[in-house]
Amino acid sequence: MEGAATILKRSQSALVAVAVGLVVAGLCLFVFSLDATWVAAASVVATAVAMTLLSGRASEKAADVLAVDADPTGSLFSPLAREVFEHFPDPLMLLDSSDRVLFVNPPMRAIVGTATERKYVSSILRTPNVLAALAHTARSGESGSVEFTFHVPVERTYRAYTMRAGTDPMVTALLLHDLTAMKRNEQMRVDFVANASHELRTPLAAVTGFIETLKGHAKDDTPAREKFLDIMSVEAGRMRRLIDDLLSLSRVELNEHVPPSGEVALESVARQAVTALSPLARAENIMIEIASAPDLPAVTGERDELIQLFQNLIHNAIKYGKQGGHVWVNLALSPGPSARGTDAFVAVSIRDDGEGIPPDAVPRLTERFYRVDVKRSREKGGTGLGLAIVKHIANRHHGRLQIESRAGEGSTFTVYLPVSRAPLLAPAAAAAK
Ligand SMILES: Nc1ncnc2c1ncn2[C@@H]1O[C@H](COP(=O)(O)OP(=O)(O)OP(=O)(O)O)[C@@H](O)[C@H]1O
Ligand SMILES: [Mg+2]
């Protein structure tokens, strides 16, 4: 269509040029009574000049259109500067004097989306303190810096720097620096000291007490010594487990905002978790059954983290399930927890026929160190960190954890993980994963 329009425009320009040439020839012939050679030469020159002027205007117009439509920053900075900004690792946005977006680089696009061109900044960035800082900088020319946090999908904290450049045209720049990892480190240090010291105090007190006893009146009592050493070994084991869990929690939290990149077949992951826990299930005389829908698509994920997620859930189902009862592991395609749209998730549910969980406790289960029955959890060697780890792994995988339970009727923990956009894994490849 565009080509046809261009040909039409060019033909019109040529006709106009030829007409100009003929008029000039007529004037030469009838007004100035010049001879045929001069008439022909004048008409050719007039046609050529007219064509040059007309095509020059057309190409000027085309250049204007390109500069405005394809690249609103074209007249502001050179291709070299643009390339540098594009490759800048931190998110960058440039605004014109009326607060409309002139440019966003790829890291900024990951935050504000791709449809930003010529939009008002307030329609794509809904953080009042950043908008206020931009307005202040645009008005006063003073650079500014504010901190802000996005809460969804995963909490991220940034420091936003605002600065103004030029006067005509005037450009305001917004540069973001990601503080998420630093904030997480700070928070984790604080939590570690508060919770871990609290949890370590009990077993440490027991070990210290028994050391004193062994140094004192139980020094020569061989049966008592053996018994106390056994207890000390159990308490030391609890401290080791607590430290292991804290370390895995901190690892998962640190990486939570880094999306996983592998392709994982969940059925093989679930089977591996069940195999690892089957001795514990046998000890409680619990039967574990796995059922999987055929040809399940892979999910995008980190295999080791997903194994840990399912081990924590299946371990809980064994610990808090019914002795001599059942644990059912079911894998299926699902539209997700809100059941909207198409089958975009693989849902893995772990159901037990244990005592269930009181309704008011359900929303608190994923808090660190939260346990419905602290004594029972401790007896079973629990640290109260298992479901906190599950939640962070699910978050990192853009998944969801759903807990359904009725007192006396058992519990179902379902993890929804988004289907990978990569093609279905061949059975051999899936088995190898
Ligand atoms: N399937 C379940 N049935 C009943 N209660 C459960 C179930 N799963 C978890 N809970 C309750 O939730 C609490 C928290 O679980 P979580 O896995 O975080 O910690 P834990 O099992 O006590 O210890 P850890 O997993 O760190 O060894 C448990 O103490 C228990 O009270
Ligand atoms: Mg647990």
Side-chain angles (χ1 to χ4, degrees):
M1 286 298 285
E2 221 172 291
T6 314
I7 290 170
L8 192 67
K9 272 192 183 155
R10 283 199 182 143
S11 320
Q12 281 171 351
S13 304
L15 281 176
V16 171
V18 169
V20 170
L22 287 174
V23 169
V24 170
L27 284 174
C28 292
L29 199 60
F30 297 109
V31 180
F32 303 110
S33 306
L34 295 176
D35 70 26
T37 318
W38 279 104
V39 171
S43 79
V44 168
V45 170
T47 306
V49 169
M51 283 207 75
T52 309
L53 286 176
L54 286 169
S55 68
R57 263 184 37 210
S59 59
E60 261 173 45
K61 269 193 183 159
D64 283 350
V65 168
L66 273 180
V68 173
D69 286 355
D71 179 9
T73 59
S75 54
L76 280 178
F77 46 74
S78 67
L80 180 67
R82 188 187 177 87
E83 202 177 328
V84 172
F85 290 158
E86 286 279 353
H87 288 93
F88 212 63
D90 283 336
L92 172 73
M93 181 187 290
L94 300 180
L95 305 172
D96 68 11
S97 54
S98 55
D99 292 338
R100 284 175 186 263
V101 176
L102 281 173
F103 172 82
V104 288
N105 70 349
M108 182 63 95
R109 257 175 252 150
I111 295 171
V112 298
T114 47
T116 54
E117 211 170 287
R118 311 298 293 156
K119 283 200 175 156
Y120 287 106
V121 63
S122 54
S123 70
I124 55 166
L125 205 61
R126 297 181 198 281
T127 37
N129 58 345
V130 177
L131 294 175
L134 278 169
H136 176 76
T137 299
R139 215 173 33 244
S140 65
E142 284 171 23
S143 299
S145 120
V146 288
E147 204 175 290
F148 70 99
T149 302
F150 287 128
H151 295 282
V152 283
V154 174
E155 192 163 290
R156 300 180 76 123
T157 303
Y158 292 93
R159 176 152 287 278
Y161 296 93
T162 58
M163 61 219 90
R164 200 177 86 179
T167 42
D168 189 23
M170 185 195 88
V171 172
T172 312
L174 170 67
L175 185 68
L176 302 184
H177 183 54
D178 195 343
L179 302 178
T180 314
M182 201 190 83
K183 290 273 168 195
R184 272 184 215 285
N185 279 344
E186 264 175 35
Q187 190 57 43
M188 271 162 51
R189 262 200 305 274
V190 172
D191 288 356
F192 180 85
V193 175
N195 294 325
S197 59
H198 177 76
E199 287 298 319
L200 284 169
R201 199 173 293 140
T202 319
L204 196 60
V207 171
T208 317
F210 285 120
I211 290 172
E212 291 305 317
T213 315
L214 287 172
K215 276 164 71 183
H217 62 86
K219 195 158 46 179
D220 302 318
D221 183 346
T222 312
R225 200 174 58 214
E226 289 305 311
K227 190 173 149 213
F228 294 161
L229 283 174
D230 281 348
I231 298 172
M232 287 165 74
S233 155
V234 169
E235 296 300 326
R238 177 183 300 180
M239 287 192 274
R240 199 201 59 240
R241 264 197 312 280
L242 177 60
I243 288 163
D244 286 349
D245 279 356
L246 280 166
L247 287 177
S248 45
L249 184 59
S250 75
R251 233 187 347 260
V252 173
E253 275 192 311
L254 263 181
N255 286 330
E256 192 175 323
H257 64 291
V258 181
S261 55
E263 295 290 314
V264 181
L266 283 183
E267 190 185 341
S268 86
V269 164
R271 286 190 188 280
Q272 191 168 333
V274 168
T275 308
L277 291 163
S278 52
L280 289 177
R282 259 199 303 279
E284 298 289 331
N285 200 17
I286 287 175
M287 171 97 133
I288 306 181
E289 290 173 29
I290 303 190
S292 175
D295 299 331
L296 272 185
V299 300
T300 305
E302 194 151 307
R303 188 180 169 82
D304 287 347
E305 280 191 1
L306 292 174
I307 289 176
Q308 185 175 16
L309 181 152
F310 292 118
Q311 273 186 358
N312 288 3
L313 292 177
I314 296 167
H315 193 185
N316 280 351
I318 296 169
K319 278 197 293 190
Y320 309 109
K322 190 165 73 181
Q323 235 184 9
H326 277 78
V327 170
W328 295 271
V329 180
N330 190 65
L331 295 96
L333 266 179
S334 156
S338 49
R340 268 184 265 137
T342 50
D343 289 347
F345 294 84
V346 176
V348 186
S349 63
I350 290 116
R351 183 160 71 90
D352 63 65
D353 49 5
E355 71 217 39
I357 303 160
D360 54 331
V362 171
R364 301 200 55 195
L365 291 183
T366 56
E367 284 175 23
R368 296 157 182 225
F369 298 109
Y370 179 83
R371 285 159 282 191
V372 178
D373 180 344
V374 176
K375 190 162 166 279
R376 174 139 188 241
S377 163
R378 284 220 176 107
E379 276 166 14
K380 304 232 171 206
T383 61
L385 291 174
L387 289 177
I389 294 172
V390 165
K391 186 187 80 178
H392 285 293
I393 295 177
N395 280 353
R396 186 185 171 206
H397 286 74
H398 296 289
R400 289 278 304 275
L401 171 68
Q402 190 181 59
I403 306 170
E404 294 158 294
S405 184
R406 280 216 193 124
E409 289 182 27
S411 314
T412 307
F413 287 72
T414 307
V415 180
Y416 296 91
L417 294 165
V419 163
S420 158
R421 282 194 219 107
L424 200 75
L425 285 184
K433 278 217 152 229

